[in-house]
Amino acid sequence: MSDEITKEEIAQNYKAMGDSVDLLNAGKPDYMEADEWTATKARNVEHLELMKAKTYWTSEDMTAVDKAIADNK
């Protein structure tokens, strides 16, 4: 199995990071309990931190990712 990642996979991963940023920026949905939101935020921040640490990024803008991590830690 190859460790190489395709441009399409990188784009998909970047989009997934954007989805996490959007979720965090939207704030707690009305239907969600506070403790559930706390856990959701933690999972998404962890996802962003793990993905940002990948070494395959090139010119992707991580400004929104950095802000979402900082704002939700």
Short mmCIF file of all heavy atoms in Angstrom, two decimals:
data_model
loop_
_atom_site.label_atom_id
_atom_site.label_comp_id
_atom_site.label_asym_id
_atom_site.label_seq_id
_atom_site.Cartn_x
_atom_site.Cartn_y
_atom_site.Cartn_z
N MET A 1 0.84 -1.18 0.00
CA MET A 1 0.00 0.00 0.00
C MET A 1 0.89 1.25 0.00
O MET A 1 1.84 1.35 0.77
CB MET A 1 -0.91 -0.03 1.22
CG MET A 1 -1.88 1.10 1.29
SD MET A 1 -3.08 0.76 2.61
CE MET A 1 -4.09 2.16 2.39
N SER A 2 0.57 2.19 -0.82
CA SER A 2 1.38 3.40 -0.97
C SER A 2 1.03 4.42 0.11
O SER A 2 -0.11 4.57 0.51
CB SER A 2 1.12 4.00 -2.36
OG SER A 2 1.79 5.23 -2.46
N ASP A 3 2.05 5.14 0.57
CA ASP A 3 1.85 6.20 1.54
C ASP A 3 1.59 7.54 0.85
O ASP A 3 1.32 8.54 1.52
CB ASP A 3 3.08 6.34 2.44
CG ASP A 3 3.20 5.20 3.42
OD1 ASP A 3 2.17 4.55 3.71
OD2 ASP A 3 4.31 4.94 3.89
N GLU A 4 1.68 7.55 -0.48
CA GLU A 4 1.47 8.79 -1.21
C GLU A 4 0.00 9.15 -1.23
O GLU A 4 -0.86 8.29 -1.22
CB GLU A 4 2.01 8.66 -2.63
CG GLU A 4 3.51 8.59 -2.68
CD GLU A 4 4.04 8.66 -4.09
OE1 GLU A 4 3.43 9.35 -4.92
OE2 GLU A 4 5.07 8.03 -4.33
N ILE A 5 -0.26 10.44 -1.24
CA ILE A 5 -1.64 10.94 -1.27
C ILE A 5 -1.83 11.74 -2.56
O ILE A 5 -0.93 12.46 -2.98
CB ILE A 5 -1.93 11.79 -0.01
CG1 ILE A 5 -3.41 12.19 0.04
CG2 ILE A 5 -1.01 12.97 0.11
CD1 ILE A 5 -3.83 12.72 1.39
N THR A 6 -2.97 11.57 -3.18
CA THR A 6 -3.24 12.24 -4.45
C THR A 6 -3.70 13.68 -4.21
O THR A 6 -4.12 14.04 -3.10
CB THR A 6 -4.32 11.50 -5.24
OG1 THR A 6 -5.56 11.60 -4.53
CG2 THR A 6 -3.95 10.04 -5.47
N LYS A 7 -3.65 14.47 -5.26
CA LYS A 7 -4.16 15.84 -5.19
C LYS A 7 -5.64 15.85 -4.83
O LYS A 7 -6.10 16.72 -4.10
CB LYS A 7 -3.93 16.56 -6.52
CG LYS A 7 -2.49 16.88 -6.79
CD LYS A 7 -2.32 17.58 -8.13
CE LYS A 7 -0.85 17.82 -8.40
NZ LYS A 7 -0.62 18.47 -9.67
N GLU A 8 -6.37 14.87 -5.34
CA GLU A 8 -7.80 14.77 -5.05
C GLU A 8 -8.03 14.48 -3.57
O GLU A 8 -8.94 15.03 -2.95
CB GLU A 8 -8.46 13.70 -5.91
CG GLU A 8 -8.52 14.02 -7.39
CD GLU A 8 -7.19 13.81 -8.14
OE1 GLU A 8 -6.28 13.13 -7.61
OE2 GLU A 8 -7.07 14.35 -9.25
N GLU A 9 -7.20 13.61 -3.00
CA GLU A 9 -7.32 13.29 -1.57
C GLU A 9 -6.96 14.50 -0.71
O GLU A 9 -7.61 14.76 0.31
CB GLU A 9 -6.45 12.10 -1.22
CG GLU A 9 -6.97 10.79 -1.78
CD GLU A 9 -5.96 9.65 -1.67
OE1 GLU A 9 -4.74 9.88 -1.83
OE2 GLU A 9 -6.42 8.53 -1.42
N ILE A 10 -5.96 15.24 -1.13
CA ILE A 10 -5.60 16.46 -0.42
C ILE A 10 -6.76 17.45 -0.46
O ILE A 10 -7.13 18.03 0.57
CB ILE A 10 -4.31 17.09 -1.00
CG1 ILE A 10 -3.11 16.19 -0.72
CG2 ILE A 10 -4.07 18.49 -0.43
CD1 ILE A 10 -1.84 16.59 -1.43
N ALA A 11 -7.34 17.63 -1.62
CA ALA A 11 -8.48 18.54 -1.75
C ALA A 11 -9.66 18.08 -0.88
O ALA A 11 -10.32 18.89 -0.23
CB ALA A 11 -8.91 18.64 -3.21
N GLN A 12 -9.90 16.79 -0.85
CA GLN A 12 -10.99 16.23 -0.03
C GLN A 12 -10.70 16.48 1.46
O GLN A 12 -11.60 16.85 2.22
CB GLN A 12 -11.14 14.75 -0.31
CG GLN A 12 -12.27 14.09 0.45
CD GLN A 12 -12.40 12.61 0.10
OE1 GLN A 12 -11.68 12.09 -0.76
NE2 GLN A 12 -13.31 11.94 0.76
N ASN A 13 -9.47 16.27 1.87
CA ASN A 13 -9.10 16.50 3.27
C ASN A 13 -9.21 17.97 3.64
O ASN A 13 -9.66 18.31 4.74
CB ASN A 13 -7.69 15.98 3.53
CG ASN A 13 -7.61 14.47 3.50
OD1 ASN A 13 -8.63 13.78 3.56
ND2 ASN A 13 -6.40 13.95 3.40
N TYR A 14 -8.83 18.85 2.73
CA TYR A 14 -8.94 20.28 2.99
C TYR A 14 -10.40 20.69 3.11
O TYR A 14 -10.77 21.47 3.98
CB TYR A 14 -8.23 21.07 1.88
CG TYR A 14 -8.13 22.54 2.15
CD1 TYR A 14 -7.30 23.02 3.16
CD2 TYR A 14 -8.84 23.46 1.38
CE1 TYR A 14 -7.20 24.38 3.40
CE2 TYR A 14 -8.73 24.82 1.62
CZ TYR A 14 -7.92 25.27 2.64
OH TYR A 14 -7.82 26.62 2.88
N LYS A 15 -11.25 20.12 2.27
CA LYS A 15 -12.69 20.40 2.35
C LYS A 15 -13.25 19.91 3.68
O LYS A 15 -14.06 20.60 4.32
CB LYS A 15 -13.45 19.76 1.20
CG LYS A 15 -14.93 20.13 1.24
CD LYS A 15 -15.79 19.26 0.37
CE LYS A 15 -17.25 19.60 0.48
NZ LYS A 15 -17.79 19.62 1.83
N ALA A 16 -12.83 18.74 4.13
CA ALA A 16 -13.29 18.21 5.42
C ALA A 16 -12.87 19.15 6.56
O ALA A 16 -13.64 19.35 7.51
CB ALA A 16 -12.74 16.81 5.64
N MET A 17 -11.69 19.71 6.45
CA MET A 17 -11.26 20.69 7.46
C MET A 17 -12.17 21.91 7.42
O MET A 17 -12.56 22.43 8.47
CB MET A 17 -9.80 21.10 7.21
CG MET A 17 -8.82 19.99 7.49
SD MET A 17 -7.12 20.45 7.05
CE MET A 17 -6.74 21.64 8.32
N GLY A 18 -12.52 22.35 6.22
CA GLY A 18 -13.44 23.48 6.08
C GLY A 18 -14.80 23.18 6.68
O GLY A 18 -15.43 24.06 7.29
N ASP A 19 -15.26 21.95 6.54
CA ASP A 19 -16.54 21.55 7.15
C ASP A 19 -16.46 21.66 8.68
O ASP A 19 -17.41 22.13 9.32
CB ASP A 19 -16.92 20.13 6.74
CG ASP A 19 -17.26 20.01 5.26
OD1 ASP A 19 -17.51 21.04 4.59
OD2 ASP A 19 -17.25 18.87 4.75
N SER A 20 -15.34 21.24 9.25
CA SER A 20 -15.16 21.36 10.70
C SER A 20 -15.11 22.83 11.12
O SER A 20 -15.71 23.21 12.13
CB SER A 20 -13.88 20.65 11.15
OG SER A 20 -14.05 19.26 11.15
N VAL A 21 -14.42 23.64 10.35
CA VAL A 21 -14.36 25.08 10.64
C VAL A 21 -15.77 25.67 10.61
O VAL A 21 -16.17 26.41 11.52
CB VAL A 21 -13.42 25.81 9.65
CG1 VAL A 21 -13.58 27.33 9.76
CG2 VAL A 21 -11.98 25.40 9.89
N ASP A 22 -16.54 25.34 9.57
CA ASP A 22 -17.90 25.86 9.45
C ASP A 22 -18.77 25.45 10.63
O ASP A 22 -19.53 26.25 11.17
CB ASP A 22 -18.55 25.38 8.15
CG ASP A 22 -17.94 26.01 6.91
OD1 ASP A 22 -17.20 27.02 7.03
OD2 ASP A 22 -18.18 25.48 5.80
N LEU A 23 -18.66 24.19 11.03
CA LEU A 23 -19.43 23.69 12.17
C LEU A 23 -19.07 24.46 13.44
O LEU A 23 -19.96 24.91 14.18
CB LEU A 23 -19.18 22.19 12.36
CG LEU A 23 -19.89 21.59 13.56
CD1 LEU A 23 -21.22 21.01 13.12
CD2 LEU A 23 -19.05 20.55 14.22
N LEU A 24 -17.78 24.61 13.68
CA LEU A 24 -17.34 25.32 14.88
C LEU A 24 -17.77 26.79 14.85
O LEU A 24 -18.20 27.33 15.86
CB LEU A 24 -15.82 25.21 15.03
CG LEU A 24 -15.32 23.81 15.37
CD1 LEU A 24 -13.80 23.73 15.20
CD2 LEU A 24 -15.72 23.39 16.77
N ASN A 25 -17.67 27.42 13.69
CA ASN A 25 -18.05 28.82 13.57
C ASN A 25 -19.55 29.03 13.73
O ASN A 25 -19.99 30.10 14.18
CB ASN A 25 -17.59 29.40 12.23
CG ASN A 25 -16.10 29.60 12.18
OD1 ASN A 25 -15.41 29.64 13.20
ND2 ASN A 25 -15.56 29.72 10.98
N ALA A 26 -20.35 28.03 13.39
CA ALA A 26 -21.81 28.15 13.49
C ALA A 26 -22.27 28.15 14.94
O ALA A 26 -23.32 28.70 15.27
CB ALA A 26 -22.48 27.02 12.72
N GLY A 27 -21.50 27.53 15.81
CA GLY A 27 -21.88 27.48 17.21
C GLY A 27 -22.84 26.34 17.50
O GLY A 27 -23.25 25.59 16.62
N LYS A 28 -23.22 26.23 18.76
CA LYS A 28 -24.06 25.13 19.22
C LYS A 28 -25.45 25.19 18.60
O LYS A 28 -26.14 26.18 18.72
CB LYS A 28 -24.19 25.17 20.74
CG LYS A 28 -24.98 24.01 21.33
CD LYS A 28 -25.09 24.09 22.83
CE LYS A 28 -26.31 24.78 23.32
NZ LYS A 28 -27.59 24.36 22.82
N PRO A 29 -25.85 24.09 17.95
CA PRO A 29 -27.21 24.04 17.42
C PRO A 29 -28.22 23.98 18.57
O PRO A 29 -27.92 23.43 19.65
CB PRO A 29 -27.24 22.73 16.62
CG PRO A 29 -25.82 22.31 16.48
CD PRO A 29 -25.06 22.92 17.59
N ASP A 30 -29.40 24.50 18.36
CA ASP A 30 -30.43 24.53 19.39
C ASP A 30 -30.79 23.14 19.91
O ASP A 30 -31.10 22.97 21.08
CB ASP A 30 -31.70 25.21 18.87
CG ASP A 30 -31.50 26.69 18.62
OD1 ASP A 30 -30.57 27.28 19.22
OD2 ASP A 30 -32.27 27.26 17.82
N TYR A 31 -30.74 22.14 19.05
CA TYR A 31 -31.15 20.80 19.42
C TYR A 31 -30.10 20.05 20.26
O TYR A 31 -30.37 19.01 20.82
CB TYR A 31 -31.48 19.95 18.18
CG TYR A 31 -30.30 19.71 17.28
CD1 TYR A 31 -29.41 18.67 17.52
CD2 TYR A 31 -30.06 20.55 16.19
CE1 TYR A 31 -28.31 18.45 16.69
CE2 TYR A 31 -28.96 20.34 15.36
CZ TYR A 31 -28.11 19.29 15.63
OH TYR A 31 -27.02 19.09 14.80
N MET A 32 -28.91 20.60 20.36
CA MET A 32 -27.80 19.89 21.01
C MET A 32 -27.64 20.35 22.45
O MET A 32 -27.67 21.55 22.75
CB MET A 32 -26.51 20.14 20.21
CG MET A 32 -25.37 19.23 20.58
SD MET A 32 -23.88 19.53 19.56
CE MET A 32 -24.33 18.67 18.06
N GLU A 33 -27.46 19.39 23.35
CA GLU A 33 -27.19 19.70 24.75
C GLU A 33 -25.78 20.28 24.88
O GLU A 33 -24.90 20.00 24.06
CB GLU A 33 -27.32 18.44 25.61
CG GLU A 33 -28.71 17.83 25.60
CD GLU A 33 -29.75 18.72 26.27
OE1 GLU A 33 -29.41 19.44 27.23
OE2 GLU A 33 -30.91 18.70 25.82
N ALA A 34 -25.56 21.04 25.93
CA ALA A 34 -24.27 21.70 26.14
C ALA A 34 -23.12 20.71 26.21
O ALA A 34 -22.06 20.94 25.61
CB ALA A 34 -24.32 22.57 27.39
N ASP A 35 -23.30 19.60 26.93
CA ASP A 35 -22.20 18.63 27.05
C ASP A 35 -21.91 17.94 25.72
O ASP A 35 -20.77 17.62 25.41
CB ASP A 35 -22.47 17.61 28.15
CG ASP A 35 -23.73 16.79 27.94
OD1 ASP A 35 -24.64 17.23 27.22
OD2 ASP A 35 -23.82 15.69 28.54
N GLU A 36 -22.95 17.73 24.93
CA GLU A 36 -22.76 17.14 23.60
C GLU A 36 -22.00 18.11 22.70
O GLU A 36 -21.13 17.71 21.93
CB GLU A 36 -24.13 16.80 23.00
CG GLU A 36 -24.08 16.02 21.73
CD GLU A 36 -25.48 15.70 21.18
OE1 GLU A 36 -26.49 16.10 21.77
OE2 GLU A 36 -25.51 15.05 20.14
N TRP A 37 -22.31 19.40 22.79
CA TRP A 37 -21.61 20.42 22.01
C TRP A 37 -20.14 20.50 22.42
O TRP A 37 -19.25 20.61 21.58
CB TRP A 37 -22.30 21.77 22.14
CG TRP A 37 -21.56 22.89 21.45
CD1 TRP A 37 -21.06 24.00 22.01
CD2 TRP A 37 -21.24 22.98 20.05
NE1 TRP A 37 -20.43 24.79 21.06
CE2 TRP A 37 -20.54 24.17 19.85
CE3 TRP A 37 -21.47 22.16 18.95
CZ2 TRP A 37 -20.07 24.58 18.61
CZ3 TRP A 37 -21.00 22.56 17.71
CH2 TRP A 37 -20.31 23.75 17.54
N THR A 38 -19.89 20.42 23.72
CA THR A 38 -18.50 20.44 24.20
C THR A 38 -17.71 19.29 23.60
O THR A 38 -16.58 19.48 23.14
CB THR A 38 -18.48 20.37 25.75
OG1 THR A 38 -19.16 21.52 26.26
CG2 THR A 38 -17.06 20.34 26.28
N ALA A 39 -18.30 18.10 23.56
CA ALA A 39 -17.62 16.93 22.98
C ALA A 39 -17.45 17.09 21.48
O ALA A 39 -16.40 16.75 20.92
CB ALA A 39 -18.41 15.66 23.29
N THR A 40 -18.45 17.64 20.81
CA THR A 40 -18.39 17.87 19.36
C THR A 40 -17.27 18.85 19.03
O THR A 40 -16.49 18.64 18.10
CB THR A 40 -19.74 18.38 18.83
OG1 THR A 40 -20.72 17.37 19.06
CG2 THR A 40 -19.69 18.71 17.35
N LYS A 41 -17.20 19.94 19.79
CA LYS A 41 -16.13 20.92 19.58
C LYS A 41 -14.76 20.27 19.76
O LYS A 41 -13.88 20.47 18.93
CB LYS A 41 -16.27 22.10 20.55
CG LYS A 41 -17.33 23.07 20.18
CD LYS A 41 -17.27 24.39 20.92
CE LYS A 41 -16.73 24.37 22.29
NZ LYS A 41 -16.69 25.70 22.93
N ALA A 42 -14.60 19.50 20.82
CA ALA A 42 -13.31 18.87 21.10
C ALA A 42 -12.90 17.94 19.95
O ALA A 42 -11.73 17.94 19.54
CB ALA A 42 -13.37 18.10 22.42
N ARG A 43 -13.85 17.14 19.45
CA ARG A 43 -13.53 16.23 18.34
C ARG A 43 -13.12 17.00 17.09
O ARG A 43 -12.18 16.61 16.39
CB ARG A 43 -14.75 15.35 18.00
CG ARG A 43 -14.96 14.20 18.93
CD ARG A 43 -16.01 13.23 18.39
NE ARG A 43 -17.27 13.87 18.03
CZ ARG A 43 -18.29 14.07 18.86
NH1 ARG A 43 -18.21 13.69 20.12
NH2 ARG A 43 -19.40 14.64 18.43
N ASN A 44 -13.81 18.09 16.81
CA ASN A 44 -13.50 18.85 15.60
C ASN A 44 -12.20 19.62 15.73
O ASN A 44 -11.44 19.72 14.76
CB ASN A 44 -14.68 19.77 15.24
CG ASN A 44 -15.76 19.02 14.52
OD1 ASN A 44 -15.72 18.89 13.32
ND2 ASN A 44 -16.71 18.47 15.27
N VAL A 45 -11.90 20.14 16.89
CA VAL A 45 -10.61 20.81 17.11
C VAL A 45 -9.49 19.79 16.97
O VAL A 45 -8.47 20.06 16.31
CB VAL A 45 -10.58 21.51 18.49
CG1 VAL A 45 -9.15 21.91 18.87
CG2 VAL A 45 -11.49 22.73 18.49
N GLU A 46 -9.67 18.60 17.56
CA GLU A 46 -8.65 17.56 17.44
C GLU A 46 -8.45 17.18 15.98
O GLU A 46 -7.31 17.02 15.52
CB GLU A 46 -9.05 16.33 18.25
CG GLU A 46 -8.03 15.22 18.16
CD GLU A 46 -8.41 13.98 18.95
OE1 GLU A 46 -9.61 13.78 19.24
OE2 GLU A 46 -7.49 13.21 19.26
N HIS A 47 -9.54 17.05 15.24
CA HIS A 47 -9.46 16.73 13.81
C HIS A 47 -8.64 17.80 13.08
O HIS A 47 -7.75 17.47 12.29
CB HIS A 47 -10.87 16.64 13.22
CG HIS A 47 -10.90 16.57 11.74
ND1 HIS A 47 -11.35 17.61 10.97
CD2 HIS A 47 -10.54 15.60 10.87
CE1 HIS A 47 -11.25 17.27 9.68
NE2 HIS A 47 -10.77 16.07 9.61
N LEU A 48 -8.94 19.06 13.35
CA LEU A 48 -8.21 20.14 12.68
C LEU A 48 -6.73 20.13 13.04
O LEU A 48 -5.87 20.31 12.17
CB LEU A 48 -8.83 21.49 13.04
CG LEU A 48 -10.23 21.75 12.47
CD1 LEU A 48 -10.79 23.05 13.03
CD2 LEU A 48 -10.22 21.76 10.95
N GLU A 49 -6.42 19.90 14.30
CA GLU A 49 -5.02 19.86 14.71
C GLU A 49 -4.27 18.71 14.06
O GLU A 49 -3.14 18.88 13.58
CB GLU A 49 -4.92 19.75 16.24
CG GLU A 49 -5.36 21.00 16.96
CD GLU A 49 -5.41 20.85 18.46
OE1 GLU A 49 -5.72 19.74 18.97
OE2 GLU A 49 -5.15 21.86 19.14
N LEU A 50 -4.90 17.53 14.03
CA LEU A 50 -4.26 16.36 13.40
C LEU A 50 -4.05 16.57 11.91
O LEU A 50 -2.99 16.26 11.36
CB LEU A 50 -5.10 15.11 13.65
CG LEU A 50 -5.14 14.59 15.07
CD1 LEU A 50 -6.18 13.50 15.22
CD2 LEU A 50 -3.77 14.08 15.49
N MET A 51 -5.07 17.11 11.25
CA MET A 51 -4.97 17.31 9.81
C MET A 51 -3.97 18.41 9.46
O MET A 51 -3.22 18.28 8.50
CB MET A 51 -6.34 17.63 9.22
CG MET A 51 -7.32 16.48 9.28
SD MET A 51 -6.70 14.96 8.51
CE MET A 51 -6.56 15.49 6.81
N LYS A 52 -3.95 19.47 10.25
CA LYS A 52 -3.02 20.57 9.96
C LYS A 52 -1.57 20.10 10.08
O LYS A 52 -0.68 20.61 9.39
CB LYS A 52 -3.27 21.74 10.90
CG LYS A 52 -2.43 22.94 10.52
CD LYS A 52 -2.78 24.17 11.28
CE LYS A 52 -1.89 25.28 10.77
NZ LYS A 52 -1.07 25.87 11.77
N ALA A 53 -1.33 19.12 10.92
CA ALA A 53 0.03 18.61 11.13
C ALA A 53 0.53 17.74 9.98
O ALA A 53 1.72 17.41 9.93
CB ALA A 53 0.09 17.81 12.43
N LYS A 54 -0.34 17.40 9.04
CA LYS A 54 0.08 16.58 7.90
C LYS A 54 1.14 17.34 7.10
O LYS A 54 1.11 18.57 7.01
CB LYS A 54 -1.11 16.23 6.99
CG LYS A 54 -2.22 15.48 7.69
CD LYS A 54 -1.79 14.10 8.07
CE LYS A 54 -2.94 13.33 8.70
NZ LYS A 54 -2.54 12.03 9.19
N THR A 55 2.03 16.59 6.48
CA THR A 55 3.16 17.23 5.77
C THR A 55 2.90 17.44 4.28
O THR A 55 3.77 17.95 3.58
CB THR A 55 4.43 16.39 5.95
OG1 THR A 55 4.19 15.07 5.44
CG2 THR A 55 4.84 16.31 7.41
N TYR A 56 1.74 17.06 3.80
CA TYR A 56 1.49 17.15 2.36
C TYR A 56 0.86 18.47 1.92
O TYR A 56 0.65 18.69 0.74
CB TYR A 56 0.63 15.98 1.87
CG TYR A 56 -0.65 15.72 2.64
CD1 TYR A 56 -1.73 16.58 2.56
CD2 TYR A 56 -0.76 14.60 3.42
CE1 TYR A 56 -2.90 16.32 3.26
CE2 TYR A 56 -1.92 14.31 4.11
CZ TYR A 56 -2.99 15.19 4.02
OH TYR A 56 -4.15 14.92 4.70
N TRP A 57 0.56 19.36 2.83
CA TRP A 57 -0.06 20.64 2.44
C TRP A 57 0.94 21.46 1.62
O TRP A 57 2.14 21.43 1.86
CB TRP A 57 -0.50 21.42 3.67
CG TRP A 57 -1.49 20.68 4.53
CD1 TRP A 57 -1.29 20.28 5.81
CD2 TRP A 57 -2.79 20.24 4.16
NE1 TRP A 57 -2.40 19.61 6.26
CE2 TRP A 57 -3.34 19.57 5.28
CE3 TRP A 57 -3.56 20.33 3.01
CZ2 TRP A 57 -4.61 19.01 5.27
CZ3 TRP A 57 -4.83 19.77 3.00
CH2 TRP A 57 -5.35 19.13 4.11
N THR A 58 0.42 22.21 0.68
CA THR A 58 1.27 23.06 -0.15
C THR A 58 0.89 24.52 0.09
O THR A 58 1.33 25.12 1.04
CB THR A 58 1.18 22.67 -1.64
OG1 THR A 58 -0.18 22.74 -2.06
CG2 THR A 58 1.71 21.27 -1.87
N SER A 59 0.01 25.04 -0.73
CA SER A 59 -0.35 26.46 -0.62
C SER A 59 -1.73 26.69 0.00
O SER A 59 -2.26 27.79 -0.08
CB SER A 59 -0.32 27.08 -2.02
OG SER A 59 -1.28 26.46 -2.85
N GLU A 60 -2.29 25.67 0.66
CA GLU A 60 -3.60 25.82 1.26
C GLU A 60 -3.55 26.87 2.39
O GLU A 60 -2.61 26.90 3.17
CB GLU A 60 -4.11 24.48 1.83
CG GLU A 60 -4.40 23.44 0.79
CD GLU A 60 -3.17 22.69 0.29
OE1 GLU A 60 -2.07 22.88 0.84
OE2 GLU A 60 -3.32 21.91 -0.65
N ASP A 61 -4.58 27.70 2.44
CA ASP A 61 -4.66 28.75 3.45
C ASP A 61 -5.22 28.15 4.75
O ASP A 61 -6.35 27.66 4.78
CB ASP A 61 -5.58 29.88 2.95
CG ASP A 61 -5.65 31.05 3.91
OD1 ASP A 61 -5.02 31.00 4.99
OD2 ASP A 61 -6.35 32.02 3.58
N MET A 62 -4.46 28.21 5.80
CA MET A 62 -4.84 27.63 7.09
C MET A 62 -5.32 28.69 8.09
O MET A 62 -5.50 28.41 9.27
CB MET A 62 -3.68 26.83 7.69
CG MET A 62 -3.26 25.64 6.87
SD MET A 62 -4.52 24.36 6.87
CE MET A 62 -3.79 23.18 5.75
N THR A 63 -5.55 29.91 7.63
CA THR A 63 -5.95 31.00 8.52
C THR A 63 -7.24 30.66 9.27
O THR A 63 -7.30 30.80 10.50
CB THR A 63 -6.14 32.31 7.72
OG1 THR A 63 -4.94 32.60 7.02
CG2 THR A 63 -6.50 33.47 8.63
N ALA A 64 -8.27 30.21 8.56
CA ALA A 64 -9.55 29.88 9.20
C ALA A 64 -9.40 28.68 10.13
O ALA A 64 -10.03 28.62 11.19
CB ALA A 64 -10.62 29.62 8.14
N VAL A 65 -8.56 27.74 9.74
CA VAL A 65 -8.30 26.56 10.58
C VAL A 65 -7.65 27.00 11.88
O VAL A 65 -8.08 26.60 12.97
CB VAL A 65 -7.41 25.54 9.83
CG1 VAL A 65 -6.97 24.42 10.74
CG2 VAL A 65 -8.14 24.99 8.61
N ASP A 66 -6.62 27.82 11.79
CA ASP A 66 -5.92 28.31 12.99
C ASP A 66 -6.88 29.06 13.92
O ASP A 66 -6.85 28.87 15.13
CB ASP A 66 -4.75 29.23 12.60
CG ASP A 66 -3.62 28.48 11.92
OD1 ASP A 66 -3.49 27.26 12.13
OD2 ASP A 66 -2.87 29.13 11.17
N LYS A 67 -7.73 29.89 13.34
CA LYS A 67 -8.68 30.67 14.14
C LYS A 67 -9.70 29.76 14.81
O LYS A 67 -10.01 29.92 15.98
CB LYS A 67 -9.38 31.71 13.27
CG LYS A 67 -10.35 32.58 14.06
CD LYS A 67 -10.82 33.76 13.25
CE LYS A 67 -11.80 34.67 13.96
NZ LYS A 67 -12.10 34.49 15.33
N ALA A 68 -10.22 28.77 14.07
CA ALA A 68 -11.20 27.86 14.65
C ALA A 68 -10.59 27.06 15.80
O ALA A 68 -11.24 26.85 16.83
CB ALA A 68 -11.74 26.93 13.57
N ILE A 69 -9.34 26.65 15.65
CA ILE A 69 -8.67 25.92 16.73
C ILE A 69 -8.53 26.83 17.94
O ILE A 69 -8.90 26.46 19.07
CB ILE A 69 -7.28 25.40 16.26
CG1 ILE A 69 -7.46 24.29 15.22
CG2 ILE A 69 -6.47 24.90 17.45
CD1 ILE A 69 -6.17 23.89 14.51
N ALA A 70 -8.00 28.02 17.74
CA ALA A 70 -7.77 28.96 18.86
C ALA A 70 -9.07 29.35 19.55
O ALA A 70 -9.12 29.41 20.78
CB ALA A 70 -7.03 30.20 18.35
N ASP A 71 -10.11 29.59 18.76
CA ASP A 71 -11.38 30.05 19.33
C ASP A 71 -12.13 28.95 20.08
O ASP A 71 -13.02 29.26 20.89
CB ASP A 71 -12.30 30.58 18.23
CG ASP A 71 -11.84 31.90 17.65
OD1 ASP A 71 -10.89 32.51 18.21
OD2 ASP A 71 -12.41 32.33 16.62
N ASN A 72 -11.81 27.69 19.83
CA ASN A 72 -12.60 26.60 20.39
C ASN A 72 -11.83 25.65 21.29
O ASN A 72 -12.34 24.61 21.67
CB ASN A 72 -13.25 25.82 19.25
CG ASN A 72 -14.32 26.63 18.57
OD1 ASN A 72 -15.42 26.79 19.10
ND2 ASN A 72 -13.99 27.21 17.43
N LYS A 73 -10.63 26.00 21.64
CA LYS A 73 -9.84 25.16 22.58
C LYS A 73 -10.28 25.40 23.99
O LYS A 73 -10.71 26.39 24.40
CB LYS A 73 -8.37 25.46 22.44
CG LYS A 73 -7.76 24.60 21.37
CD LYS A 73 -6.29 24.52 21.56
CE LYS A 73 -5.99 23.06 21.73
NZ LYS A 73 -4.64 22.71 21.60
#
